[in-house]
């Protein structure tokens, strides 16, 4: 468990063997209350009153099923095997996301949400779809951003989830310059900020989860120049630091949005168009 957290850029705040204490990766906090017992290879989040093994953490952190988690981290199977298998909870079939249909973004609630986050609607339509899905017997719709394996990142004012399989997204345009983003709203923010600029072709990589950074290394290393736009939380900072140490052709672009969590938060603050709360603005039900 400790090795896996280190792999995705999460470092302990303090260590008192066998206990490693972290700022919880599952929520925001200032006092570390997330403990990993290295001897037992188990974690416990005192703020939530929940815990488990590595697989329990993986499906919570990445919001995916056990099968998707294992598939995404085949290289870590030996590490996963060290976790007690009997505590793994298989996601009930009725709680899995079923994609029903996808079409052009047109629902007012989703367009308003994009506007609230200062994203250019035409650019969003180029890269995203309106996805209707079923979850727990109910149907909903959301902004869908497709990954390389056919799954979707699904976003609305009320939800942030993913359909299976979860993966990163690569957008190739025949360039040896790559721009790397942690989430697709940061990617859309960059495209919005530079929509009128006359730039040469660029390739893009959206991780869709910081945990896919290791998987993305072959893509990153195949480019002459790589620009990083990772989040300025502890996970993003750790990943950026490690990446810069390992690769001399990487450029950290996070100085642009210092003082903000990510590029989209910076865009909202500097554009003057963002609103305080999508819930207050919309007041809409995204169920069908």
């Amino acid at each position: 468990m400790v090795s896996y957290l280190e792999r995705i850029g999460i470092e302990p705040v303090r260590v008192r063997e066998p206990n490693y204490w972290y700022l919880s990766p599952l929520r925001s906090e200032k006092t570390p209350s997330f403990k990993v017992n290295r001897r037992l290879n188990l974690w416990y989040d005192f703020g939530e009153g929940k815990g488990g093994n590595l697989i329990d953490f993986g499906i919570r952190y990445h919001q995916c099923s056990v099968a998707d988690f294992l598939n995404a981290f085949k290289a870590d199977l030996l590490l996963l095997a060290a976790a007690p298998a009997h505590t793994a909870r298989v996601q009930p079939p009725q709680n899995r996301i079923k994609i029903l249909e996808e079409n052009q973004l047109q629902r007012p609630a989703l367009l308003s949400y994009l506007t609230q986050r200062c994203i250019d609607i035409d650019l969003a339509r180029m890269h995203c779809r309106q996805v209707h899905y079923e979850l727990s017997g109910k149907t909903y719709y959301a902004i869908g951003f497709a990954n390389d394996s056919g799954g979707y990142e699904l976003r609305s004012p009320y939800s942030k989830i993913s359909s299976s399989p979860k993966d990163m997204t690569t957008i190739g345009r025949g360039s040896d310059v790559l721009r790397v983003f942690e989430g697709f709203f940061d990617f859309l923010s960059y495209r919005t900020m530079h929509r009128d600029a006359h730039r040469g072709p660029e390739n893009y990589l959206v991780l869709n989860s910081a945990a896919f950074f290791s998987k993305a290394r072959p893509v990153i290393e195949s480019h002459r120049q790589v620009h990083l736009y990772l989040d300025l939380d502890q996970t993003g900072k750790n990943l950026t630091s490690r990446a810069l140490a390992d690769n001399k052709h990487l450029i950290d672009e996070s100085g642009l949005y210092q003082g903000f969590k990510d590029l989209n938060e910076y865009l909202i603050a500097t554009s003057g168009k963002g609103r305080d709360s999508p819930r207050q603005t919309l007041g809409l039900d995204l169920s069908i």
Side-chain angles (χ1 to χ4, degrees):
M1 183 73 195
V2 170
S3 298
Y4 177 73
L5 291 174
E6 180 182 359
R7 182 177 177 83
I8 62 174
I10 300 173
E11 302 288 344
V13 175
R14 67 176 185 269
V15 177
R16 291 186 182 137
E17 288 288 356
N19 297 319
Y20 286 60
W21 292 87
Y22 302 81
L23 293 173
S24 177
L26 303 176
R27 55 193 173 78
S28 177
E29 66 175 3
K30 295 182 179 180
T31 302
S33 65
F34 185 93
K35 182 183 77 171
V36 175
N37 185 303
R38 194 163 197 176
R39 185 182 302 124
L40 300 176
N41 203 26
L42 297 173
W43 60 274
Y44 190 81
D45 190 325
F46 285 87
E48 287 195 348
K50 297 179 181 179
N53 66 11
L54 178 54
I55 299 177
D56 295 319
F57 173 79
I59 61 178
R60 278 285 312 281
Y61 184 76
H62 302 297
Q63 298 182 335
C64 63
S65 68
V66 172
D68 289 334
F69 178 67
L70 293 174
N71 183 59
F73 298 97
K74 291 177 181 177
D76 296 325
L77 286 177
L78 290 177
L79 178 62
L80 294 174
H86 66 276
T87 59
R89 297 184 296 272
V90 177
Q91 199 173 26
Q94 65 269 25
N95 289 336
R96 293 190 61 121
I97 296 170
K98 179 181 179 182
I99 303 299
L100 302 176
E101 63 175 299
E102 52 92 9
N103 42 52
Q104 186 183 59
L105 285 167
Q106 56 187 357
R107 290 276 186 159
L110 300 183
L111 300 182
S112 295
Y113 182 49
L114 288 166
T115 299
Q116 183 268 330
R117 297 193 65 165
C118 300
I119 301 299
D120 183 88
I121 300 297
D122 290 335
L123 280 170
R125 283 176 169 155
M126 286 174 57
H127 298 287
C128 304
R129 302 289 285 171
Q130 179 175 295
V131 176
H132 296 248
Y133 63 96
E134 181 180 302
L135 178 64
S136 300
K138 295 184 178 180
T139 54
Y140 305 89
Y141 58 88
I143 300 165
F145 182 72
N147 64 41
D148 290 351
S149 295
Y152 282 97
E153 295 298 309
L154 300 169
R155 300 293 185 271
S156 77
Y158 308 102
S159 65
K160 180 181 178 180
I161 56 179
S162 308
S163 69
S164 300
K166 190 172 176 71
D167 199 356
M168 60 188 182
T169 303
T170 54
I171 302 173
R173 296 187 170 184
S175 175
D176 59 0
V177 176
L178 178 70
R179 297 190 184 270
V180 181
F181 305 89
E182 197 163 325
F184 78 87
F185 265 102
D186 294 322
F187 163 65
L188 293 177
S189 297
Y190 172 82
R191 296 279 284 133
T192 296
M193 292 165 65
H194 298 283
R195 63 184 179 275
D196 296 325
H198 298 287
R199 292 173 174 263
E202 299 176 325
N203 294 342
Y204 304 105
L205 168 63
V206 183
L207 296 171
N208 294 321
S209 169
F212 285 114
F213 193 85
S214 293
K215 182 179 179 180
R217 282 187 178 277
V219 178
I220 291 173
E221 292 169 0
S222 68
H223 286 77
R224 174 182 59 83
Q225 189 179 95
V226 178
H227 301 261
L228 300 179
Y229 297 81
L230 303 186
D231 290 358
L232 284 177
D233 56 12
Q234 197 58 49
T235 298
K237 289 178 181 178
N238 289 342
L239 279 177
T240 298
S241 178
R242 290 170 57 197
L244 293 175
D246 294 339
N247 299 275
K248 302 304 181 185
H249 66 303
L250 270 60
I251 301 170
D252 178 18
E253 300 285 4
S254 65
L256 170 65
Y257 46 96
Q258 281 292 330
F260 301 91
K261 176 183 177 294
D262 55 33
L263 189 60
N264 182 244
E265 190 175 279
Y266 166 80
L267 174 62
I268 293 171
T270 56
S271 70
K273 297 178 183 178
R275 301 174 183 174
D276 292 336
S277 169
R279 292 177 183 268
Q280 294 174 355
T281 302
L282 300 176
L284 297 172
D285 184 2
L286 297 185
S287 60
I288 300 173

